[in-house]
Amino acid sequence: MIFTLPSIKVLCKLPKLTYFYLFKQMSKSLSIIIPSYNEAANLPLLIPPLMQAAKKQNWQVIFVNDGSKDNSLKILQNLQQDHDFKIIHHKVNKGYGGAIKQGIREAITDLVITIDADGQHSIEDVRKLYEYLLSENADMVVGKRPDSSSSVYRRLGKCLIRKIANILLPINIHDINSGMKIYDTKLAQQYLDLCPDSMAYSDIITLVFISYRHLVLEHPIQIHQRIAGESTISTRTAFQTILEILNITMLFNPLKIFLPIAAISILIGFIWGLPILLDKRGLSVGALFFILSGILFFLMGLLAEQLSNIRKIVGKK
């Protein structure tokens, strides 16, 4: 942070308590963002050990109460009297991604890490991911969960999402939808508008970092059983995630979508029309339609690729 002469004069006029608090906050290096929706049963068990570790490491902690219908807000406010953390309250539910995005916008540190409010993530893993990111000089580190931590149904869903993401975008991250990630705050704030407010946020923020050629690594973490309550992740969440992956692919690598469609259309056209052409009956209307459609898809892909390259250049400035 750079201070100008006028800003220094303003700082000198601040009360001593405000002056001390300001520089205490500036010294923090990591913000822990915790989106919370109807987690009243978990918060009293999560917060004391978390805040004990955060106080020792001088980490900022931000809870985002995302329109909870239970008494989560009241519990957070009561616990805030004994612990130094920030509460952001949404009157209506904005979604998992919307809650995290608001927390990141208000973070004052160089790095942010996201964890869940259900007690599944280990506080010790926060420190491990933090130290690993610093040692590797990475821009993002994804907490890789053990495969045994999910049900067979969820593992199949994660595998499908990962396969689709691998086809559309070049990634080397196994657990892209892990909710525990640590990353550069300024980069995250720069890319928030590209990310959805839904559960797909976890996948898309990772793909955005990768698409902009930032160093994204993975590190193993442990997962505990949810303390109480039920998960809001469903089959609908998986379909939303796949749609968001298609959207982000259109933004960063549209030829991955247009080129296969163009190739398939042209191939169908040739397969359809070649026997008729060899039979000296000319070129059929159906075959011509598919061939011309394939050429149009290819040209549209080239145009979309040019727009994507311009967007990347503008996004880096």
Side-chain angles (χ1 to χ4, degrees), residues 42-52 63 76 79 83 85:
N42 295 318
L43 293 174
L45 302 174
L46 170 69
I47 290 177
L50 171 65
M51 293 311 304
Q52 183 179 3
F63 279 91
L76 285 170
L79 289 169
H83 302 286
F85 60 83

Side-chain angles (χ1 to χ4, degrees), residues 178-223:
S178 170
M180 191 175 198
K181 294 180 174 71
I182 182 170
Y183 35 91
D184 184 282
T185 305
K186 289 184 179 179
L187 290 177
Q189 290 171 344
Q190 184 179 348
Y191 302 143
L192 287 182
D193 290 339
L194 296 173
C195 300
D197 291 340
S198 63
M199 292 293 295
Y201 170 88
S202 291
D203 303 79
I204 301 306
I205 189 66
T206 308
L207 296 178
V208 170
F209 267 67
I210 292 172
S211 297
Y212 272 114
R213 299 294 188 268
H214 298 299
L215 180 58
V216 179
L217 302 176
E218 210 168 24
H219 193 274
I221 61 171
Q222 297 300 315
I223 293 294

Side-chain angles (χ1 to χ4, degrees), residues 10 50 77 141 243 249 279:
V10 171
L50 171 65
Q77 291 171 337
V141 175
L243 288 176
T249 304
D279 199 30

Side-chain angles (χ1 to χ4, degrees), residues 21-306:
Y21 178 78
L22 176 64
F23 280 92
K24 181 183 178 183
Q25 293 298 310
M26 286 169 51
S27 66
K28 295 181 183 292
S29 57
L30 177 67
S31 291
I32 304 175
I33 312 294
I34 309 169
S36 175
Y37 178 67
N38 293 342
E39 297 287 0
N42 295 318
L43 293 174
L45 302 174
L46 170 69
I47 290 177
L50 171 65
M51 293 311 304
Q52 183 179 3
K55 184 178 180 181
K56 186 181 298 184
Q57 300 292 334
N58 197 29
W59 291 336
Q60 180 190 30
V61 177
I62 301 175
F63 279 91
V64 185
N65 181 51
D66 192 30
S68 296
K69 296 178 181 178
D70 58 12
N71 61 338
S72 292
L73 179 60
K74 185 177 180 180
I75 290 174
L76 285 170
Q77 291 171 337
N78 290 337
L79 289 169
Q80 193 182 38
Q81 297 176 10
D82 299 319
H83 302 286
D84 181 22
F85 60 83
K86 182 172 185 176
I87 301 173
I88 300 173
H89 174 58
H90 292 166
K91 293 182 180 179
V92 297
N93 182 263
K94 294 186 178 181
Y96 175 78
I100 291 178
K101 287 159 70 174
Q102 188 60 41
I104 291 174
R105 287 189 181 101
E106 300 198 23
I108 60 172
T109 55
D110 293 331
L111 300 171
V112 293
I113 188 169
T114 56
I115 66 173
D116 294 340
D118 56 14
Q120 293 191 64
H121 293 134
S122 169
I123 300 171
E124 178 63 20
D125 283 331
V126 173
R127 183 186 62 79
K128 289 180 180 178
L129 293 188
Y130 175 72
E131 293 177 352
Y132 183 69
L133 181 140
L134 293 180
S135 66
E136 300 296 325
N137 194 26
D139 299 302
M140 172 186 282
V141 175
V142 178
K144 181 182 178 183
R145 298 165 292 183
D147 291 335
S148 59
S149 63
S150 302
S151 64
V152 175
Y153 178 70
R154 284 196 178 181
R155 286 204 298 269
L156 288 173
K158 291 176 185 177
C159 181
L160 176 62
I161 291 171
R162 188 168 61 250
K163 292 293 184 184
I164 293 173
N166 271 310
I167 291 171
L168 298 175
L169 291 168
I171 62 172
N172 58 353
I173 301 301
H174 177 80
D175 195 4
I176 63 171
N177 61 348
S178 170
M180 191 175 198
K181 294 180 174 71
I182 182 170
Y183 35 91
D184 184 282
T185 305
K186 289 184 179 179
L187 290 177
Q189 290 171 344
Q190 184 179 348
Y191 302 143
L192 287 182
D193 290 339
L194 296 173
C195 300
D197 291 340
S198 63
M199 292 293 295
Y201 170 88
S202 291
D203 303 79
I204 301 306
I205 189 66
T206 308
L207 296 178
V208 170
F209 267 67
I210 292 172
S211 297
Y212 272 114
R213 299 294 188 268
H214 298 299
L215 180 58
V216 179
L217 302 176
E218 210 168 24
H219 193 274
I221 61 171
Q222 297 300 315
I223 293 294
H224 305 294
Q225 290 295 322
R226 167 183 274 271
I227 300 173
E230 295 181 358
S231 173
T232 57
I233 298 175
S234 62
T235 304
R236 181 183 177 184
T237 303
F239 283 115
Q240 288 177 340
T241 301
I242 292 172
L243 288 176
E244 292 294 345
I245 290 174
L246 289 172
N247 285 332
I248 209 69
T249 304
M250 284 294 295
L251 277 173
F252 290 105
N253 200 354
L255 274 179
K256 280 280 188 176
I257 294 177
F258 281 104
L259 202 56
I261 296 175
I264 291 172
S265 295
I266 293 172
L267 182 62
I268 291 174
F270 274 112
I271 293 174
W272 187 335
L274 189 59
I276 300 173
L277 187 64
L278 292 176
D279 199 30
K280 298 180 180 180
R281 287 184 288 155
L283 190 61
S284 72
V285 175
L288 190 60
F289 168 78
F290 278 105
I291 292 173
L292 290 178
S293 297
I295 294 172
L296 287 175
F297 277 121
F298 176 70
L299 293 176
M300 288 170 61
L302 290 179
L303 179 60
E305 188 73 15
Q306 292 298 316

